[in-house]
Every structure is written in structure tokens, then in C-alpha cells.
Amino acid sequence: MSWGSEQQRYQGYEGYQGQQGQQGQQEYQGQQGQQGQQGQQEYQGQQGQQGQQGQQEYQGQQGQPGYDYGYGQQPDPYGQGPQPRVPQQYGYGQGYADQGQVYVTETAPLPVIEPEPAVDAAVRTEPSPDAGEPESPAAGPAPKAKGTGRDRYFDALRAVALVRVVAYHTFGWAWAGLVFPSMGVMFALAGSLMAKSLERPALKVVKSRMRRLLPPFWFWGFFVVVAMLIHDWMPGWQIVFWIVPVGDPPGNEWGIQAWEILWYLRTYLWFVLMSPLLLKVFRKAPLPVLLLSLAPILVFQYAWQPSDNRFGSGLTDFATFLFCWLVGFAHREGVLRRLKPAQVILASLALLAYGGWYAFAHQAEFGTYDLDEIPVAQTFWSAGFVTLLMYFKAYYNVDFAWLARFKRLDRIVTIFNGRAVTIYLWHEIALVLAVPLIDQFWKVPAFEKWLPLESQWFMFGIGWVLIWIAIPLVGWVEDVAAKKKPKLLP
């Protein structure tokens, strides 16, 4: 182009000298103090050029300085950093004694300690025992929540499950399990994360899960065991289950409200230890194995009943939530995603219908329709419920990235997942301590007049205040167990 004179470009020309004349408008960057109109000249192999020149970029020129511009790659703004679970009262209203020790065959719902992270079409990293791991989507990764690499859909479900567990242990609502079967949800999330983790060597994965779970359990158990010893507890050899809870840890009546929730940890450990074998079997025939996982609980109900001891109660819990664990496998392996919506919806409704019918039809037999007391109803209702939740995640690629727009809510979800084991283990103690604390409020006339001291909702609130105090005080143990730098809040 010309601006008073024609601008010439030469490439591969050597020995050119004496170029004169007016030059067109030259564009340049980064040059200071140069006057006059200059054009940007690009050439290779040119020497001795005179006149006003702009910034020149070239290669292969001798005796001339070159310029190299690089662009730093910006980090993904959406990186993410478990899995606890909510206690349920299993044992279905039954307890058993062993050499003077008091045992509860089951308890109520809570954490999924798989502190393992989660994501379906989003990626998650390994979390607390049940907290979640990165997931690979069928068609391209889904957006992740800001500041985390975790699946916010899984994280949100886990947080809701924890709140529901604390509410259940405060109010004792029989209908709570029908609205949101926390234990089934937690086992399904844990199963999905476990399947993802088993892409690595199985032994390494099992050791990692146990490492994340046991130190927080030992720390909590030290205080509970010492308190029970002070209150006349005489343990036998069964105290070994306070080291590795593959069976229900023993205790006395005084401390039952604290230790009865440990059925979940025991069941979780059973699934972790069995997962390498379960996953191999599942992969041979995914759908048949998933459907057959409903059979054991029916066998226990109608053909053979497990004995009323540690092994029997553990076997019952394992059968109750086996389908939920395997549907987590189905989600992670892409089995659910390949199914048609109509098939999944009809099958899930059938499972829900049978579970609900069984609970109400046998209400007289069990004295309640609470799913936590009726293993068969719990199995089928949870199976239908979690199948819909996991299919919704797999088929529609939901990731709840929108949580990042609500910073406070997003932060709460992060804390719940980073301290899931802490919340699960310590929430019952918080509720126990709330009672004498509220009793002290009665001694203050203003509190007695203006505060709803008789309301369970008030105790629920005080319980959560104590839980939030416990999180920074003892939650750092989860960081130590995960080989992370201890933090007051995750």
C-alpha cells in the first residue's frame, strides 16, 4: 500500500542498501521516542536498510536483534478441592447384649465419608471418604463450580443428606426417610466415587479410604471411650472394634447415643473392602448384577434371617444398601447414561411403589413406617430414589455450577463436604450437650420469657451452633488424615 510512496517488502534478499524515499504509515508496538510516520516492516534476510523503521519481526537475519512474545496461560478459574454420612437407626429397633456390653444392630443415617469428590460430566478429585472424585462426561466436560474441581451436584446432595440426618436425630420424623433417604444417597455417591478411584491400584485405593476415615474416628473415639470408662464401662476383647470398626464397636447404655451411629462407618468399610471384587463382577453383566443386588434383602426377610449379632447386623446393612452402592458403579461406568428415560423412570417408580407399600403395609408389625426400622422398605425406596438422582446426573449432565453465584451457600456446601466425617461423628454429641446448655437458659428470666426454650427447633439450632464450633476445633484431623495442611475451615 502507498502513503506518499510505495512501501516495499523484501524477503530473502541479501545485500540490499540505500533504500530511500518516503515511507508509508508504519505501525509498531513497544517503541518509545521514535518520531515520524513509520510502518511495520516484516522481512527476512535483509541487511543495511536505512530510514525510519517500525518494530520488525523476522527470522534468519544476521546481526539484528529479535523479539519474542509469549502469552502466559491463565489457570482455570474453576478448580475444586468428601464424605460422612447421616446416621440411621438400624437394627430396626433391636439391640443385643454381649458379655454385659450393649450393642445396637443398626442406627440412623449420616455421612458418606468417602471424602471422595464427585462429578459426572464435571471432574472431581478424591475427597473425604465419600466426598467425591472427578468425573468424565459422555460428551465433553461440564462447567465446574468456581474455585473447585469437585462436582457440586454430588456435594449439594451430600450436604442435604447431612442436614437431614441431624434433623432426623433431633425431631425423629418417621417421614424423613421418605422425603430424602439420606443413607441410600450417601452410599450411592460413595459407590460412584469408589468406582472412579479404582482406576488406580485397588490396594492403594482401599488404604487411602481407610486412612481418611480411621484417624478422625480414633480421635472422636478416644473421648467417647474415656467418658464411658468413667461411667463404669467394662470393655472386653470386643474393644478391638474401636480400632478398626469392621464390627459394631461396643459401649454402655450411658454412651449409646454417641456410638450408635457407628453402624454407618462399619457398613462403609465393608463396601470399601469388597469394592474391588464387586466392581469386577458388576462389569461382567452390569444390569443383571444391579437387579440381582435386590435379592439378598428379600432372602433375609423371607428365607433366612441373619443372626442377631455383629456379623448379622452388618450383613443386613450390607444387603440393604448394596443396590445403592452398585447404582453408583452404574453411574460412573456410563451404564445409566445409555438407558432410555422411560425405562429408568418406570423402573424407579416401581421400586418406590413397592418400598412405600411395604413400609405402610407392615406398619403394625414394626410399629412405624419409618424406613430406618424396615430393611426391605428401606432397600426398595432408596433404590428407586437414588436411581432417579443418579440418572438425572448422568443423562442430563447436571453439575450445579450455578452454586458459585451464591457465595455464602457455595461456601457452606464446601465446608460440609470438607468436614463430612466431623459433622457425622460429632453431631450426636452436639445434640446431647444442647440439652444441659438449654437448661441453663431457664435460669435467666429474660431467656425464659423471650426464647422458645421448649421448642425442638431451638434445640436444633443450638445443636448446629455446637457443630459449627466443633468444625474448626476438631475438623483439622480430617486434613491430617488426608495428608493435607491442617486448616480451621476447608
Side-chain angles (χ1 to χ4, degrees):
M1 65 183 180
S2 63
W3 297 75
S5 66
E6 181 178 358
Q7 180 181 8
Q8 299 177 344
R9 298 186 181 186
Y10 298 87
Q11 183 175 7
Y13 182 82
E14 295 183 355
Y16 177 78
Q17 297 179 350
Q19 182 176 3
Q20 298 178 354
Q22 296 179 347
Q23 296 181 339
Q25 183 178 3
Q26 299 178 342
E27 298 176 354
Y28 63 94
Q29 295 177 342
Q31 185 172 3
Q32 296 180 353
Q34 186 171 3
Q35 299 179 356
Q37 294 182 342
Q38 297 178 335
Q40 182 175 4
Q41 301 178 342
E42 299 177 357
Y43 66 93
Q44 295 179 341
Q46 184 173 0
Q47 297 179 349
Q49 184 170 2
Q50 299 179 354
Q52 295 179 339
Q53 296 178 338
Q55 180 180 1
Q56 300 177 343
E57 299 178 354
Y58 63 93
Q59 295 177 343
Q61 182 174 359
Q62 297 179 354
Q64 296 238 2
Y67 298 87
D68 187 5
Y69 294 88
Y71 297 88
Q73 184 177 4
Q74 306 217 349
D76 182 357
Y78 300 130
Q80 177 179 0
Q83 110 150 243
R85 184 186 176 173
V86 190
Q88 294 177 330
Q89 262 179 314
Y90 277 100
Y92 310 102
Q94 298 177 357
Y96 59 89
D98 182 6
Q99 297 183 356
Q101 307 298 328
V102 178
Y103 306 100
V104 171
T105 55
E106 314 268 347
T107 54
L110 201 88
V112 56
I113 317 156
E114 247 188 344
E116 318 175 24
V119 294
D120 186 271
V123 182
R124 75 175 306 162
T125 53
E126 183 175 349
S128 67
D130 291 356
E133 299 191 27
E135 249 184 274
S136 299
K144 292 175 283 185
K146 183 176 181 178
T148 175
R150 303 175 58 98
D151 183 334
R152 300 311 267 172
Y153 179 75
F154 277 15
D155 287 348
L157 289 178
R158 188 175 294 108
V160 171
L162 287 170
V163 173
R164 205 237 68 176
V165 169
V166 178
Y168 176 80
H169 288 154
T170 303
F171 302 100
W173 293 323
W175 48 264
L178 295 171
V179 173
F180 193 85
S182 293
M183 300 321 294
V185 171
M186 296 304 292
F187 280 117
L189 299 180
S192 177
L193 301 176
M194 190 67 184
K196 173 64 176 177
S197 295
L198 285 173
E199 294 174 359
R200 298 179 283 127
L203 181 59
K204 183 178 180 180
V205 173
V206 171
K207 289 173 62 177
S208 174
R209 289 292 182 276
M210 296 186 70
R211 187 194 73 237
R212 288 174 174 272
L213 175 63
L214 293 180
F217 165 68
W218 293 334
F219 185 83
W220 171 86
F222 173 80
F223 295 97
V224 175
V225 168
V226 169
M228 290 192 298
L229 290 173
I230 294 175
H231 288 80
D232 303 325
W233 179 46
M234 292 295 293
W237 67 267
Q238 298 87 354
I239 198 173
V240 297
F241 293 114
W242 280 97
I243 301 175
V244 181
V246 291
D248 292 325
N252 59 9
E253 284 285 354
W254 180 86
I256 190 172
Q257 189 169 348
W259 58 260
E260 67 177 351
I261 64 174
L262 296 179
W263 73 270
Y264 168 77
L265 273 66
R266 175 252 296 151
T267 306
Y268 174 78
L269 282 180
W270 279 40
F271 279 121
V272 167
L273 295 173
M274 292 292 294
S275 281
L277 177 61
L278 287 174
L279 187 56
K280 288 183 179 179
V281 174
F282 177 81
R283 284 172 172 170
K284 292 182 180 299
L287 289 180
V289 170
L290 184 61
L291 294 175
L292 285 174
S293 66
L294 296 169
I297 197 66
L298 295 176
V299 172
F300 293 167
Q301 181 64 33
Y302 297 109
W304 174 74
Q305 187 174 3
S307 56
D308 187 20
N309 55 25
R310 283 187 180 85
F311 179 76
S313 62
L315 204 57
T316 300
D317 286 342
F318 186 84
T320 299
F321 296 103
L322 178 59
F323 182 96
C324 294
W325 191 270
L326 294 185
V327 85
F329 285 2
H331 162 259
R332 183 65 62 169
E333 295 288 299
V335 175
L336 293 179
R337 188 165 41 231
R338 294 191 292 268
L339 299 176
K340 296 181 180 180
Q343 295 175 323
V344 175
I345 293 174
L346 290 176
S348 298
L349 291 178
L351 293 170
L352 289 168
Y354 182 74
W357 168 82
Y358 194 96
F360 287 98
H362 295 78
Q363 186 173 353
E365 176 183 349
F366 292 95
T368 180
Y369 59 87
D370 189 340
L371 299 181
D372 292 345
E373 306 295 334
I374 312 171
V376 173
Q378 176 75 281
T379 298
F380 282 85
W381 184 269
S382 295
F385 199 95
V386 301
T387 298
L388 288 175
L389 287 179
M390 301 302 279
Y391 183 75
F392 185 67
K393 166 68 176 172
Y395 191 81
Y396 295 101
N397 200 22
V398 181
D399 72 351
F400 275 29
W402 53 265
L403 275 176
R405 298 197 300 267
F406 304 91
K407 294 183 178 180
R408 292 185 179 179
L409 179 60
D410 186 66
R411 181 62 178 146
I412 291 173
V413 170
T414 297
I415 294 174
F416 269 58
N417 281 267
R419 294 293 181 260
V421 181
T422 299
I423 295 173
Y424 182 72
L425 289 174
W426 291 89
H427 82 278
E428 280 282 22
I429 294 178
L431 293 175
V432 169
L433 294 177
V435 175
L437 182 59
I438 293 175
D439 287 343
Q440 298 303 312
F441 290 177
W442 285 97
K443 298 178 181 180
V444 181
F447 289 171
E448 181 180 2
K449 180 178 181 180
W450 299 109
L451 294 180
L453 301 181
E454 295 180 348
S455 171
Q456 284 184 301
W457 283 100
F458 187 75
M459 185 177 73
F460 183 67
I462 295 297
W464 274 109
V465 170
L466 296 177
I467 290 172
W468 280 103
I469 292 174
I471 287 175
L473 285 180
V474 301
W476 54 268
V477 179
E478 291 194 57
D479 292 330
V480 174
K483 296 184 178 180
K484 299 178 181 178
K485 182 180 179 180
K487 297 180 180 180
L488 293 179
L489 293 175

